[in-house]
Amino acid sequence: MPINILGIESSCDETSAAVISDTKILSNIIANQEVHQKYGGVVPELASRAHQKNIIPVVDRALAEANIDKKDLDAIAYTRGPGLLGSLLVGSSFAKSLSLSLNIPLIEVNHMQAHLLAHFIKDNSENKTNFPFLGVNISGGHTQIVLCKDYFEMEIIGETLDDSIGEAYDKCGKMMGLNYPAGPKIDEFARKGNPTKFKFSIPKVSGLDFSFSGLKTNFKRFIEDKSSSDKLFIEEEKENICSSLQETITKILVDKIIQASKNTGIKNIVFGGGVSANSRIRESANRELKKFKLFFPKIEYTTDNAAMIAIVGYLKYRAKKFTNYNVESKARYDI
Ligand code: KG4
Ligand code: ZN
């Protein structure tokens, strides 16, 4: 009999539920919270309220789409952290109550591990990687290079010292008047632009760490300078600006991946997180990392989703790593 697990994700501004049967995803429902768009970033209080409103309909839809009855579930997996505490509490309370009422195991999942294990979903790729691999976690909250020795044996070997790569996209996008999250919009405009038209600063950070705050300041000055003499500058040049910004961010990332591989001798690279949906990063990695074995999750498993929580739930179920009801949610939770 296959193992059926319900995964629940509520760490930030997506309420998501997914059903997995062994390693195959049967449903993956995601409710995006559009309420944050006009604020230029996620408003924690509004996110918790939206999770409360969404969680029951999202879980109901995930079960219906999977054609699975609650009584056929073997376990409930949920995001324990990291994330916004109020948002995490909605998902964890719901998961605990459901697991108690169905009398089935509860499984806590680290959201950042889940981003890096999403490619173990069976319908994802024929081409599975082996351990060890280098995990490149690039999202709105994190930028990490992770040495992954086994499913649950991961070590951060490089990370951002300030803003995350997703914040670089979102904050620069906001300066251009784009709604949150700006990453996908910048990606879209950039496709029609010239990546070498404008030059932005590449930070000098030693080792495998990253920094994006200097780039943000550089970008802010550039936009202010150009717009002060030409009010239509952003409107007329948005495709070139986005393309040049994206090129700079991509170069920062690819250079660090090459360095991490040199340091560790590992050539299997697994990408995860919302920014790994970026078309230029995918293109550039495929071109410049030809000698590497690259694994990108399917686009629907890059930004926050419960399918990745469900696959980790399955892997933990197999390893009998179950969770007590007194386990607390964690806003900060090391990988
Ligand atoms: O993994 P995720 O959904 O949430 C966190 O765990 O943070 O990542 C969200 C981030 C946002 O910053 C968003 O702008 C960025 O991923 N993003 C992109 C793209 N799609 C989403 N950034 C660049 N290009 C994209 N296509
Ligand atoms: Zn995430």
Side-chain angles (χ1 to χ4, degrees):
M1 285 286 280
I3 295 159
N4 297 324
I5 293 180
L6 174 71
I8 295 173
E9 156 63 29
S10 72
S11 65
C12 193
D13 60 337
E14 266 97 22
T15 317
S16 180
V19 177
I20 198 165
S21 184
D22 286 343
T23 55
K24 191 170 184 311
I25 292 294
L26 302 183
S27 62
N28 182 35
I29 307 298
I30 303 172
N32 300 110
Q33 302 180 357
E34 278 159 19
V35 62
H36 308 288
Q37 276 186 6
K38 58 177 182 280
Y39 296 99
V42 178
V43 184
E45 167 78 20
L46 297 179
S48 325
R49 286 168 188 255
H51 283 305
Q52 282 209 316
K53 202 168 117 203
N54 292 340
I55 195 142
I56 292 179
V58 164
V59 168
D60 280 349
R61 253 187 77 198
L63 290 168
E65 205 170 280
N67 206 11
I68 290 268
D69 193 274
K70 283 196 277 292
K71 67 177 185 328
D72 297 323
L73 290 172
D74 295 287
I76 310 289
Y78 73 100
T79 305
R80 181 181 178 195
L84 301 170
L85 197 61
S87 292
L88 291 165
L89 288 173
V90 177
S92 75
S93 307
F94 188 87
K96 286 177 183 181
S97 315
L98 195 57
S99 135
L100 264 171
S101 67
L102 296 171
N103 196 24
I104 54 175
L106 178 71
I107 300 173
E108 61 98 353
V109 173
N110 180 309
H111 180 94
M112 300 315 293
Q113 284 192 348
H115 272 306
L116 293 180
L117 296 173
H119 69 287
F120 285 105
I121 291 169
K122 196 172 173 203
D123 59 1
N124 197 24
S125 151
E126 295 307 308
N127 202 359
K128 292 281 176 286
T129 182
N130 295 319
F131 293 102
F133 62 77
L134 290 178
V136 179
N137 238 338
I138 42 177
S139 72
H142 294 80
T143 306
Q144 310 170 323
I145 300 188
V146 185
L147 173 58
C148 301
K149 298 174 204 155
D150 206 341
Y151 293 112
F152 306 111
E153 221 188 312
M154 298 186 179
E155 183 195 335
I156 297 172
I157 56 172
E159 63 189 325
T160 184
L161 305 174
D162 40 57
D163 287 353
S164 73
I165 190 167
E167 278 177 290
Y169 270 101
D170 296 336
K171 289 180 178 171
C172 292
K174 191 178 174 191
M175 293 173 210
M176 295 177 66
L178 302 177
N179 278 346
Y180 173 85
K185 211 69 210 154
I186 291 177
D187 193 358
E188 196 187 313
F189 287 140
R191 274 179 216 151
K192 294 184 214 126
N194 172 0
T196 57
K197 171 110 194 231
F198 303 111
K199 290 271 173 278
F200 300 112
S201 61
I202 302 258
K204 290 189 180 58
V205 186
S206 65
L208 299 177
D209 289 334
F210 297 85
S211 166
F212 290 100
S213 69
L215 171 62
K216 186 181 66 186
T217 311
N218 177 228
F219 189 79
K220 185 167 186 278
R221 288 217 186 97
F222 165 82
I223 291 288
E224 284 169 358
D225 281 359
K226 296 284 191 188
S227 302
S228 67
S229 53
D230 176 3
K231 296 276 167 271
L232 292 177
F233 175 72
I234 297 179
E235 188 46 38
E236 285 168 355
E237 290 286 350
K238 66 175 183 288
E239 289 160 356
N240 294 326
I241 303 171
C242 289
S243 188
S244 303
L245 172 68
Q246 185 160 277
E247 193 62 9
T248 309
I249 294 176
T250 304
K251 179 166 174 36
I252 296 171
L253 182 70
V254 170
D255 285 354
K256 289 287 176 178
I257 296 172
I258 294 173
Q259 200 180 331
S261 173
K262 266 192 199 141
N263 292 4
T264 57
I266 298 173
K267 287 200 155 40
N268 283 335
I269 317 285
V270 172
F271 291 80
V275 182
S276 71
N278 185 265
S279 61
R280 186 68 181 175
I281 290 176
R282 287 178 179 231
E283 226 175 83
S284 172
N286 280 318
R287 193 182 56 240
E288 295 191 32
L289 306 175
K290 277 211 182 76
K291 293 189 194 126
F292 295 58
K293 234 173 142 193
L294 304 181
F295 300 87
F296 281 98
K298 259 180 147 177
I299 296 291
E300 64 256 45
Y301 305 143
T302 54
T303 45
D304 290 349
N305 66 88
M308 69 183 194
I309 305 303
I311 183 71
V312 179
Y314 169 79
L315 296 167
K316 284 195 162 182
Y317 187 97
R318 296 292 303 263
K320 296 196 167 40
K321 286 178 182 285
F322 300 129
T323 304
N324 289 327
Y325 293 104
N326 56 6
V327 158
E328 291 173 0
S329 297
K330 292 182 86 160
R332 288 171 163 267
Y333 189 11
D334 282 347
I335 205 158

